[in-house]
Each structure stands twice: as C-alpha cells, then as structure tokens.
Amino acid sequence: MASQYDRAITVFSPDGHLFQVEYAQEAVKKGSTVVGIRGTDIVVLGVEKKSVAKLQDERIVRKICALDDHVCMAFAGLTADARVVISRARVECQSHKLTVEDPVTVEYITRFIATLKQKYTQSNGRRPFGISALIVGFDDDGIPRLYQTDPSGTYHAWKANAIGRSAKTVQEFLEKNYTEDAIANDSEAIKLAIRALLEVVQSGGKNIELAIIRRKQPLKMFSAKEIELQVNETGKKKEEAEKKKSKKTA
Amino acid sequence: MAATFFGEVVRAPCRAGTEDEEEEEEEGRRETPEDGEVRQQLARKREVRLLRRQTKTTLEVSLLEKYPCSKFIIAIGNNAVAFLSSFIMNSGVWEEVGCAKLWNEWCRTVDTTHLSPTEAFCVFYHLKSNPSVVLCQCSCYVAEDQQYQWLEKVFGSCPRKNMQVTILTCRHVTDYKTSESTSSLHTPFLKALKTQNFREPPCCSLLEQPNIVHDLPAAVLSYCQVWKISAILYLCYTDVMKLDLITVEAFKPVLSSRSLKSLVKNIPQSTEILKKLMTTNEIQSNIYT
C-alpha cells in the first residue's frame, strides 16, 4: 500500500500519511545522538561524535553550530541537508538584525527553520529535509530556551530532549532523571547531559562533544580535556551513589 | 499490419491466431544448442560447493554426515556473524571444518584467510574440545535457487533428528508488520520462530502473524520442520542493517539458551572483541551525522 503513496511528497495516502515525511524521520534516526538540556541559567547541547576515517580532518565534521552569538543548534540526520538549513538560518539571523536592529529570539529562528522545512513537505519535485534540530539559546529577557524541529516542520519547546539514534533510550533516561535538583546549577546540568549521553555512547568521553551557552555569554565548546574531566567526575559521582545504595540495602 | 501516426508499419497483434504465428512461436520455444550450453554453464556457475578449506577439496558427503553434531548454530548476516565471533568463538578453540563457495548476482564468496564480517563468506567450525558442537558463519547471500543445494550439502538428504539447530539472523524493522505505531517500537528487538519439535522456552517472544521469515533462515527452519529436527530461529529486527554494535548486542538474551549457555565464557572480553571488530570494520559514511 505504502509504495503507491510514497513517491511524491505532495500525495497523502488514504489513511492520512505523508510517507516521505515519515521516511525523512527515519533518516534522522541514522544520525548520531544529540541531547539538549535547559537548565536554570544554562543551556547544554551534547552530541555523540562520529568516528572519522583516518585521513579525514576531524574539525570539519561538526554537529554543533552557532547560528548567532546567542543561539546555537545541533542536528541529527543528513549532513548536507543540515548544511543548507544552517546556512539559511545564519543568513536570516543577520538579515533580522539588519532589518529590525535586534538579534533574533530563539523562538523566531526556530519558527523560521520549521517554516522552511514545512515548505519542502508541500512542494512538487522536492523532498523534505532529512534532519531534526535542537536549537538552544538565551533571549534578551534572559530566559533559557530549548526547541526541537523535525522534518515535518513542527517545532516544540522542551525542558530536555534527545534526537538521532537511540534517542528513545536517552529520552527515557531524561524523563526519570530531569529534576529540579538535577538542574540546580550549571555544573549539575552539564553532568546530566553527559550522563544521558553515556547511556548510549559506547566508548566514553572521547566520543562526546559538548557545548554550553550561559546568560549574556557566547557559545562555549568544551575541549576534549574538559569533557574527559566532566566524564570522570560524573563517573565518580555514580560510583559514590552506588556505594551509598549498597550500604543502605546491606 | 497497421500504420502508426508517424507512418511506421507495426504488426498488430492478432487474437484469432494464424498458422504463421504458431510456427514462429514454436521456433522461439525450441532451444538452440547455444542456449542449452549457456544454461548449463550458468547452472555450473551457480552450484554450491562445500570444500575443506585447507585442502580445497570437495566434501564427498554432506557436512553433518561427516561431522555429526548435537548442536548446530548458524549465524546468517554480518551482525549475527559478529555476535558469534565475539561471544561464542572466544570461548574455546574452534577448528574450521569446511566452507561453502557460491556465486550469484549479489555476492561472490571471498577466498581470504582473514575474514571480516563485511566480506561475503560461509564457513563451518566445530569446537575442538567438543566436536559435537558445529557452528556456521554465513555472511553471503544465498539465492533462492541455491538454498536447497546449500541445505542438501550441509544437512544431507537424511539428516539426524537428535540435534538442536539455532539460527541467528537480522531483518530491517520496516519489514515488521504490527498494528502498533512504528515510532513506538524499541529497535533493535528480538523475535523467535521455532519448529514443532523444539520444546524449550525461547529467549524472547515469538514472531507474531502475519510476519514471515525470508531467504536462507526460512529455508533452514522449513527443512528442520519437515525433517522433525528441533530448531529455533532468533530474528533481530533492526533499523541499521550494516554492522552495528547495538544490533549485535540485541542478540545477548540468546546467550541464556541451553544451546549457547555452556559456550559462553567471558562476557567482558567478548564486549572488547566486539568493539575492536566494530572499529576495524566501520564503514566511513559521511552522509549522516
């Protein structure tokens, strides 16, 4: 049944599916995991770094990209589609600044990206963008924001979310562990992001990339050493918690 | 005869049928000697041969006649093969007893000494300390017309009934038919399908209707059902068909089955072996990030 309705993007199936959009969501699951956490005074983006070929320059393969000084995004899915979306979003950020003399709000740029994606689900001869994105940042009012967009062109605000491969496992972890204590301060929020990623990242800290934005501060990318430090601290805390638990049960 | 708009003359099909047409059809049906030769050459090319790898001589009898076993474990597909390589084959010394060589449009089995899960091969081993355990790693595609040959060459025309066969394989989750929404499925997941003679409880839930099994795993299971052999197929539905750590680890519940329990020795070491296998064989695709 699906094969009759899945070739043209503009065709609904009799039961109301747009198969190309659903297939685009499958393409997102092929990308490595991305997790976003909205803290009280911080927003954190953590990604699973994909291992690169020996002769490939690692610096070029980036999942976390700044859209403006106060907004950044991470994506999962088709690399080339992400490059196009990011490029358009960056141009829109500057265009907005020139036109209204104010930087974009996180919601505005998210809506722009979502509208762009939706256009490609309703045009003849085009296919949808095969990426989902987590967009984080601070608005002028100082409130942290985290939004997620998907290939259908919908966007929602989240307290914490994950996209890409094994996103479900990470989402379940976040649902259990995202508490007021867990985001009580910046360091706790970062540890929560790392713990969430370590649920699915096999080889530990060396395959994790982390970025944060603090209020009135630009995007900060963690170096490999800093990530390793955070991962070790998270590991120690986990051991201590397990020791306490075993003492209690004993 | 009829003329088209462009003036070309085309032969209009005649439903009545004429003598001339019948003669022409008969000529077409009559096989020329060249056709016969081509067909024979193709049949020879598509023959499944079972060889003793070291000597490269063909086995005179079927594999399980030469190496009778009580446990036969078959891994079909690169993820299942990687699972056996990491979790079962590090538990003892396995001696190679034969390999299947075949050719079809989708694969040609390789002839190298160091086989990696990304290459196409079909190799049989038995455990040196307990030769009644035979293992098969098959990462090549066995075409429909070759499956019966493979079964005959491996099981023979009259197989022993007192053996247990365990088959491991993978399938893409898009082939899984369910009334649930596919977004609620936690891939990868394991399903089992067994023959009537298999009495033990399976390590996971049974494959529900109307799902069916395909290709060589289906052929082996059907063969076992017909010959009343105790057999079970563990099918892993995954969204990543290439060699993938999470998919391979989805087979872990099978380690608690009676066939495999005694063969598992060192799980942490197995996990390390698996990781090494992944990094050495990772296909670098930059399409998805």
Side-chain angles (χ1 to χ4, degrees):
Chain A
M1 181 69 129
S3 58
Q4 296 172 11
Y5 299 98
D6 64 2
R7 294 216 188 92
I9 180 61
T10 49
V11 175
F12 275 106
S13 72
D15 55 350
H17 286 277
L18 276 175
F19 282 109
Q20 281 300 310
V21 174
E22 292 182 20
Y23 296 165
Q25 282 164 343
E26 290 301 314
V28 170
K29 290 185 197 167
K30 290 197 173 337
S32 55
T33 320
V34 177
V35 70
I37 309 264
R38 188 183 78 196
T40 329
D41 303 310
I42 190 173
V43 284
V44 186
L45 277 179
V47 305
E48 178 188 356
K49 234 172 27 179
K50 220 181 70 153
S51 49
V52 293
K54 247 190 189 169
L55 300 174
Q56 193 171 359
D57 191 340
E58 209 180 285
R59 292 169 304 166
I60 307 299
V61 184
R62 279 253 182 268
K63 272 170 81 79
I64 304 177
C65 309
L67 299 181
D68 204 343
D69 296 329
H70 62 296
V71 187
C72 79
M73 95 170 212
F75 66 91
L78 285 159
T79 323
D81 286 6
R83 196 183 63 235
V84 167
V85 167
I86 290 168
S87 170
R88 298 254 196 116
R90 282 173 174 168
V91 166
E92 178 61 20
C93 286
Q94 299 314 307
S95 169
H96 185 276
K97 219 185 267 187
L98 281 171
T99 317
V100 305
E101 294 188 359
D102 271 332
V104 294
T105 59
V106 184
E107 202 257 344
Y108 175 90
I109 196 64
T110 306
R111 196 164 6 104
F112 172 81
I113 291 171
T115 311
L116 175 68
K117 285 181 174 180
Q118 192 279 338
K119 279 197 194 123
Y120 279 69
T121 69
Q122 221 174 0
S123 299
N124 215 352
R126 294 183 186 185
R127 60 161 178 80
F129 285 101
I131 65 161
S132 279
L134 288 180
I135 301 152
V136 297
F138 278 84
D139 290 335
D140 265 345
D141 55 10
I143 299 179
R145 312 270 184 202
L146 165 64
Y147 287 94
Q148 185 226 343
T149 65
D150 69 16
S152 63
T154 54
Y155 71 96
H156 295 97
W158 290 82
K159 293 176 190 167
N161 200 4
I163 55 175
R165 187 169 37 209
S166 313
K168 260 204 188 27
T169 314
V170 181
Q171 280 163 359
E172 281 167 9
F173 174 87
L174 290 171
E175 277 171 17
K176 280 191 202 131
N177 294 278
Y178 185 92
T179 56
E180 290 307 316
D181 291 333
I183 53 152
N185 57 50
D186 296 357
S187 148
E188 292 300 310
I190 294 170
K191 287 195 179 58
L192 179 63
I194 289 177
R195 279 165 54 211
L197 268 179
L198 287 175
E199 288 287 304
V200 295
V201 170
Q202 303 296 330
S203 23
K206 61 181 183 341
N207 275 4
I208 291 179
E209 221 166 60
L210 209 67
I212 59 167
I213 301 185
R214 288 191 169 103
R215 194 174 286 115
K216 305 277 187 219
Q217 289 182 32
L219 169 71
K220 174 178 159 48
M221 295 286 303
F222 276 45
S223 66
K225 259 191 189 164
E226 286 168 321
I227 294 173
E228 203 58 49
L229 208 71
Q230 290 285 350
V231 168
N232 291 339
E233 273 182 36
T234 311
K236 273 187 204 155
K237 230 186 160 184
K238 196 178 175 186
E239 270 176 41
E240 278 169 21
E242 272 167 12
K243 269 187 194 161
K244 269 189 193 168
K245 208 178 174 186
S246 58
K247 269 187 191 165
K248 264 189 188 171
T249 49
Chain B
M1 298 289 202
T4 65
F5 179 79
F6 301 103
E8 56 183 308
V9 174
V10 295
R11 195 189 176 83
C14 173
R15 287 181 300 169
T18 62
E19 266 185 25
D20 293 337
E21 278 188 9
E22 273 177 20
E23 271 177 27
E24 274 176 35
E25 272 179 31
E26 263 187 50
E27 261 179 47
R29 259 187 260 131
R30 234 178 281 141
E31 207 179 58
T32 62
E34 288 88 14
D35 290 340
E37 214 178 286
V38 166
R39 217 156 28 83
Q40 275 173 15
Q41 267 182 19
L42 201 60
R44 268 197 299 272
K45 204 174 178 186
R46 293 178 78 84
E47 204 184 304
V48 177
R49 290 174 300 139
L50 220 58
L51 307 170
R52 266 188 227 95
R53 253 161 79 91
Q54 293 86 353
T55 57
K56 298 229 172 142
T57 51
T58 316
L59 278 170
E60 312 83 19
V61 293
S62 72
L63 186 98
L64 294 186
E65 273 180 58
K66 188 148 175 74
Y67 300 100
C69 68
S70 56
K71 278 188 204 169
F72 187 26
I73 305 156
I74 313 174
I76 302 171
N78 51 10
N79 283 304
V81 162
F83 174 75
L84 283 193
S85 296
S86 320
F87 288 89
I88 305 297
M89 294 189 77
N90 71 331
S91 62
V93 179
W94 293 83
E95 188 188 5
E96 199 179 305
V97 295
C99 72
K101 292 214 42 82
L102 55 95
W103 177 93
N104 55 55
E105 294 78 6
W106 294 274
C107 96
R108 176 182 298 133
T109 47
V110 295
D111 217 4
T112 58
T113 43
H114 296 292
L115 297 165
S116 82
T118 48
E119 288 170 323
F121 57 87
C122 181
V123 188
F124 299 87
Y125 304 89
H126 74 184
L127 191 56
K128 252 188 160 170
S129 56
N130 181 5
S132 72
V133 180
V134 174
L135 191 148
C136 167
Q137 291 189 309
C138 180
S139 72
C140 59
Y141 175 71
V142 181
E144 278 162 13
D145 58 312
Q146 294 172 315
Q147 283 161 15
Y148 188 70
Q149 279 189 63
W150 191 95
L151 289 167
E152 279 232 308
K153 300 256 160 96
V154 173
F155 285 89
S157 46
C158 200
R160 280 174 61 174
K161 292 190 184 18
N162 56 345
M163 68 170 155
Q164 190 171 88
V165 179
T166 309
I167 311 152
L168 307 175
T169 191
C170 279
R171 194 83 191 164
H172 201 277
V173 70
T174 47
D175 285 341
Y176 183 64
K177 295 170 185 59
T178 172
S179 52
E180 285 176 45
S181 155
T182 45
S183 55
S184 65
L185 290 172
H186 287 243
T187 45
F189 57 91
L190 218 53
K191 289 286 176 188
L193 197 60
K194 57 191 178 80
T195 59
Q196 224 163 358
N197 285 57
F198 188 86
R199 300 279 177 234
E200 285 167 44
C203 302
C204 60
S205 54
L206 292 176
L207 186 65
E208 312 89 349
Q209 288 202 5
N211 291 292
I212 58 172
V213 183
H214 302 80
D215 303 327
L216 188 63
V220 175
L221 204 64
S222 304
Y223 192 86
C224 293
Q225 171 69 5
V226 165
W227 285 102
K228 295 187 169 52
I229 299 171
S230 167
I232 185 161
L233 161 69
Y234 288 106
L235 176 54
C236 177
Y237 282 101
T238 174
D239 49 0
V240 181
M241 283 310 284
K242 67 177 179 83
L243 195 61
D244 171 58
L245 187 69
I246 300 170
T247 305
V248 174
E249 289 194 330
F251 282 109
K252 270 185 173 168
V254 180
L255 295 175
S256 59
S257 69
R258 213 178 61 172
S259 304
L260 298 182
K261 217 186 326 196
S262 53
L263 302 173
V264 181
K265 293 277 156 58
N266 193 340
I267 292 199
Q269 192 189 39
S270 302
T271 317
E272 281 312 306
I273 296 174
L274 183 60
K275 279 188 192 161
K276 240 188 218 172
L277 215 63
M278 292 293 149
T279 43
T280 49
N281 293 294
E282 211 170 37
I283 300 159
Q284 297 303 334
S285 168
N286 290 314
I287 300 175
Y288 301 100
T289 305

